[in-house]
């Protein structure tokens, strides 16, 4: 079974790995990102893996006009899109009392509103063509638990919103044969974790995170983005045909663990 999959946030990290994973399966891939050049590089990577049907475009998920245009152009280039991964996202860390309204709005706009607009655009296109489909959103453990390190209120709220949205959208779209699910990645070694850092500072932060993961995560390491991509791709396949409104947690056991020892 092949799919035509459209991925937002495809220039980097989990989105890029999903694009490459889909290409390895012979699926047609539409790679979208606010970073158009990065989306183009991801598309080139997909082609290098043998994907014959690849399209890419610059698209900001907070812009409904850009999303509608991208879905339309991807469909024209590749055929109807029947699988979507809403992977675009950002994290801005600040303690709640230090979180500006601009920061709050920006995080909610990209993560939550961007996911809503992506799912709505996909749902409209699928319903217009009468096709079934599968949509995967990207939540986070911060939707379910507070991070001990704190400084996560805007991001956590955006991901909590995504998780609630996934359940509600799944119910609305089930009668149309459209499944909506979320992956819940734990700490995943992508550029998001090193935002604003480079050189020695980036390497120092990577070493710190690896050490923390070894001590705090049951599987004793961060995830590689490809491990999250595998989960997202499975949700897009017919092997997941009875899965909707669901969360697939890929966190190395993080949320299964309590810090309490008594
Ligand atoms: N890395 C982690 O530890 C982790 C954990 C849980 C959830 N997530 C989630 O996974 C998703 C992917 O993150 P990642 O870790 O691969 O990060 P990443 O920074 O590597 O990739 C995110 C991509 O989203 C794109 N993007 C940001 N704003 C956009 C916009 N407005 N329109 C279009 N594209 C936009 C960026 O350009 C980038 O290519 C995000 O939703 C993130 O919140 C990541």
């Amino acid at each position: 079974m092949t799919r035509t999959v459209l991925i937002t946030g495809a220039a980097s990290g989990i989105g890029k790995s999903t694009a490459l994973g889909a290409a390895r399966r012979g699926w047609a891939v539409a790679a979208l990102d606010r970073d158009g050049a990065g989306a183009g590089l991801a598309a080139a990577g997909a082609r290098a893996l043998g994907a014959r049907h690849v399209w890419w475009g610059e698209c900001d998920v907070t812009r409904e006009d850009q999303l509608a245009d991208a879905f339309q152009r991807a469909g024209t280039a590749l055929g109807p899109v029947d699988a979507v991964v809403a992977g675009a996202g950002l994290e801005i860390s600040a303690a709640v009392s230090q979180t500006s309204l601009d920061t709050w709005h920006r995080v909610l706009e990209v993560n939550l509103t961007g996911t809503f607009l992506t799912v709505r655009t996909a749902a409209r296109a699928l319903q217009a063509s009468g096709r079934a489909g599968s949509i995967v959103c990207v939540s986070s453990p911060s939707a379910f638990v507070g991070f001990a390190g704190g400084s996560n209120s805007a991001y956590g709220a955006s991901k909590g919103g995504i998780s609630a949205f996934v359940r509600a959208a799944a119910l609305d779209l089930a009668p149309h044969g459209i499944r909506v699910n979320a992956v819940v990645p734990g700490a995943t070694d992508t550029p998001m974790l090193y935002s604003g850092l480079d050189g020695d500072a980036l390497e120092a932060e990577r070493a710190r995170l690896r050490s923390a993961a070894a001590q705090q995560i049951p599987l004793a390491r961060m995830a590689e983005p490809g491990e999250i991509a595998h989960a997202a791709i499975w949700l897009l396949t017919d092997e997941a045909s009875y899965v909707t409104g669901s969360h697939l947690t890929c966190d190395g056991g993080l949320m299964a663990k309590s810090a309490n020892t008594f």
Side-chain angles (χ1 to χ4, degrees):
M1 170 205 61
T2 62
R3 290 269 188 254
T4 298
V5 60
L6 181 148
I7 300 160
T8 71
S12 179
I14 292 166
K16 183 174 184 178
S17 284
T18 305
L20 299 180
R24 281 189 198 95
R25 285 166 173 77
W27 294 5
V29 177
L32 302 182
D33 203 285
R34 184 181 56 180
D35 170 6
L41 288 173
R47 274 203 197 88
L49 289 169
R52 283 182 298 144
H53 304 289
V54 178
W55 182 85
W56 62 272
E58 183 174 328
C59 176
D60 183 333
V61 294
T62 68
R63 294 278 305 273
E64 56 183 331
D65 56 336
Q66 292 186 14
L67 275 168
D69 182 59
F71 268 79
Q72 205 263 324
R73 290 201 287 147
T76 301
L78 303 175
V81 170
D82 55 6
V84 171
V85 177
L90 55 76
E91 181 172 24
I92 303 175
S93 297
V96 63
S97 54
Q98 307 301 321
T99 298
S100 70
L101 188 57
D102 280 351
T103 293
W104 176 267
H105 280 154
R106 183 67 187 147
V107 173
L108 271 287
E109 181 186 34
V110 173
N111 293 357
L112 182 54
T113 306
T115 295
F116 155 66
L117 289 174
T118 303
V119 172
R120 191 187 68 175
T121 309
R124 286 178 173 174
L126 285 164
Q127 286 176 253
S129 65
R131 296 172 69 90
S134 176
I135 302 170
V136 175
C137 303
V138 185
S139 187
S140 158
S142 64
F144 306 101
V145 295
F147 284 172
S151 296
N152 208 38
S153 59
Y155 184 78
S158 74
K159 293 299 179 176
I162 288 172
S163 285
F165 171 73
V166 161
R167 287 185 285 267
L171 298 185
D172 284 349
L173 296 174
H176 303 279
I178 302 168
R179 297 184 293 104
V180 186
N181 292 289
V183 288
V184 185
T188 307
D189 197 353
T190 72
M192 178 176 280
L193 301 187
Y194 313 109
S195 172
L197 302 176
D198 56 19
D200 290 347
L202 188 155
E203 287 312 319
E205 180 63 359
R206 178 172 277 140
R208 187 187 73 77
L209 291 176
R210 285 188 172 160
S211 167
Q215 291 165 33
Q216 297 171 22
I217 295 174
L219 288 182
R221 62 178 177 82
M222 292 190 283
E224 294 300 324
E227 295 179 284
I228 312 303
H230 283 310
I233 287 169
W234 179 75
L235 286 167
L236 297 175
T237 69
D238 284 343
E239 291 178 11
S241 55
Y242 202 58
V243 183
T244 198
S246 188
H247 286 71
L248 180 46
T249 299
C250 318
D251 69 350
L254 181 75
M255 285 196 288
K257 178 184 172 186
S258 163
N260 293 339
T261 55
F262 52 86

